[in-house]
Amino acid sequence: MAHETSFDTTMSKEGRVVIPAELRRALGVKAGDVLHLSLEGASLKVTTSHALMAEVWANNSGEPTGDAGADVRAFRDGDTALDNARHAALADTPADPLTEDALADDLLSRLGLAG
């Protein structure tokens, strides 16, 4: 709607409010459409599902807020460090990063399968 329009309406005993036809046309809504209601201070805001989707899209389509790849790598590095510390504690060795070969050799020797 290009301009601000206001109407008075009355709430029924059942809590129903009729949206005048001119406003329904301007919003492009019809019977069965989903409307989002929000309370903003003492005002009730009615938003169409299409406008809500457009708002969500606009909020999520801007510049990225960070480097997701770097975040995943940092998480994985932290996870690897934690695994290395756990393996070191099990092997009674210092918490230095262990290679996969060293971990495999240690496991095989603990199981009596080292050759």
Side-chain angles (χ1 to χ4, degrees):
M1 190 169 359
H3 62 283
E4 187 173 320
T5 304
S6 64
F7 290 89
D8 291 328
T9 189
T10 304
M11 184 184 312
S12 72
K13 288 186 263 184
E14 295 83 17
R16 294 185 179 111
V17 175
V18 174
I19 300 172
E22 183 179 335
L23 292 177
R24 292 193 310 268
R25 280 192 298 275
L27 291 171
V29 296
K30 61 187 180 316
D33 285 353
V34 175
L35 299 173
H36 176 77
L37 305 177
S38 58
L39 189 60
E40 296 182 0
S43 298
L44 179 65
K45 179 180 176 184
V46 178
T47 307
T48 66
S49 57
H50 294 296
L52 193 59
M53 285 189 296
E55 184 178 324
V56 168
W57 181 85
N59 287 338
N60 290 313
S61 65
E63 291 296 316
T65 58
D67 183 352
D71 293 343
V72 169
R73 284 188 296 279
F75 179 78
R76 286 184 180 166
D77 290 345
D79 211 22
T80 300
L82 184 59
D83 281 344
N84 288 338
R86 286 182 183 147
H87 289 294
L90 288 174
D92 281 332
T93 59
D96 292 330
L98 300 174
T99 64
E100 286 185 31
D101 291 338
L103 290 172
D105 291 343
D106 181 56
L107 180 59
L108 289 174
S109 68
R110 287 174 181 260
L111 295 172
L113 301 173

